[in-house]
Amino acid sequence: MVRSLTLLRHGRTAYNAEGRFQGQVDVPLDDLGEAQARAVAVHLAGSSTVSRIVASDLRRAAQTAQALSDEAGVAVEFDSALREISVGEWEGHTRDEIAKMWPDELDAWLAGVDMRPPGGESRDESATRVCSAITRLADESGADSDLVVVAHGAVIRGATEMLLGMEHGEGRLGVLTNCTYARLSPGRDGWVLRAWGGGAESVALARPGEDAEVVAAR
């Protein structure tokens, strides 16, 4: 079991900026997302130990993980089980577009019903997939290891709730903003949440084209 577990959401993409459902569409980081990734990498490498980095193989997570790898000097491993929830036919569409084509399904989704978007997977299905992957990675890593998993907003939230033993629909966490993280550590009776939204101050200062180390020193 690891000493610490950090679950980092990827940087911003054009789909994030446009309010589009990404799911498993392989969208890269935009310019701001790249700056956010550099900023959180400097923050994490400078404030904590990074022993192992494992990322979703979707580009937005891979690029974010590579920025951390460059700062921490730790190679990135990839695991497709860490991909974002699949939202099927909704992928690439805005909420307004989905509301016109699937109004009843979207209403149920927004109300928190654990349903599958057309051709996709449910929140619980995706959270179980990612929680199982995180548990496997934590078990594989040594007792003195500080593991960083780079993944996606919806599945980090769902998997974290499962790791903490939260019941569906009760005490649910919010979605992490781009390039912020959750940090957990093993406790006597399971995982303990130490931080939610970590790195937000560093990421808020990120600007395309600026040196992240210079920004961090301001």
Side-chain angles (χ1 to χ4, degrees):
M1 182 62 70
V2 296
R3 178 170 53 195
S4 70
L5 170 64
T6 300
L7 306 177
L8 172 63
R9 187 186 177 192
H10 61 80
R12 196 184 79 165
T13 70
Y15 273 27
N16 289 142
E18 295 165 4
R20 297 186 183 277
F21 280 56
Q22 292 185 112
Q24 296 187 4
V25 177
D26 201 10
V27 186
L29 299 180
D30 64 11
D31 288 345
L32 178 58
E34 291 178 354
Q36 290 172 335
R38 291 191 296 270
V40 79
V42 169
H43 165 77
L44 283 171
S47 64
S48 58
T49 304
V50 178
S51 307
R52 187 183 184 193
I53 305 170
V54 186
S56 158
D57 60 350
L58 295 177
R59 277 188 293 174
R60 55 194 186 270
Q63 290 174 286
T64 303
Q66 187 58 53
L68 179 57
S69 173
D70 292 343
E71 287 294 328
V74 177
V76 182
E77 305 167 48
F78 297 100
D79 193 327
S80 61
L82 297 171
R83 288 183 179 185
E84 179 62 294
I85 182 173
S86 168
V87 289
E89 295 178 41
W90 292 2
E91 292 179 353
H93 291 291
T94 65
R95 181 180 295 188
D96 288 345
E97 291 168 346
I98 293 168
K100 291 177 182 178
M101 293 183 280
W102 297 279
D104 294 338
E105 292 89 341
L106 181 61
D107 285 346
W109 176 269
L110 295 176
V113 175
D114 190 42
M115 46 80 70
R116 292 188 185 113
E121 59 185 337
S122 73
R123 289 186 178 97
D124 276 4
E125 287 170 338
S126 63
T128 298
R129 164 172 56 79
V130 174
C131 184
S132 296
I134 291 170
T135 300
R136 167 173 49 79
L137 294 168
D139 288 342
E140 289 173 359
S141 302
D144 295 327
S145 178
D146 295 286
L147 171 64
V148 179
V149 171
V150 186
H152 308 269
V155 293
I156 288 177
R157 177 178 67 175
T160 301
E161 290 169 350
M162 286 190 170
L163 290 170
L164 296 174
M166 290 183 179
E167 296 294 327
H168 179 73
E170 297 181 7
R172 295 184 68 84
L173 299 166
V175 176
L176 292 171
T177 55
N178 290 117
C179 265
T180 63
Y181 59 85
R183 178 161 291 152
L184 301 94
S185 61
R188 180 178 300 175
D189 300 314
W191 290 100
V192 178
L193 183 63
R194 302 295 185 185
W196 185 261
E201 292 183 0
S202 297
V203 172
L205 298 174
R207 297 293 183 274
E210 291 193 4
D211 186 286
E213 292 187 4
V214 173
V215 171
R218 287 176 181 166

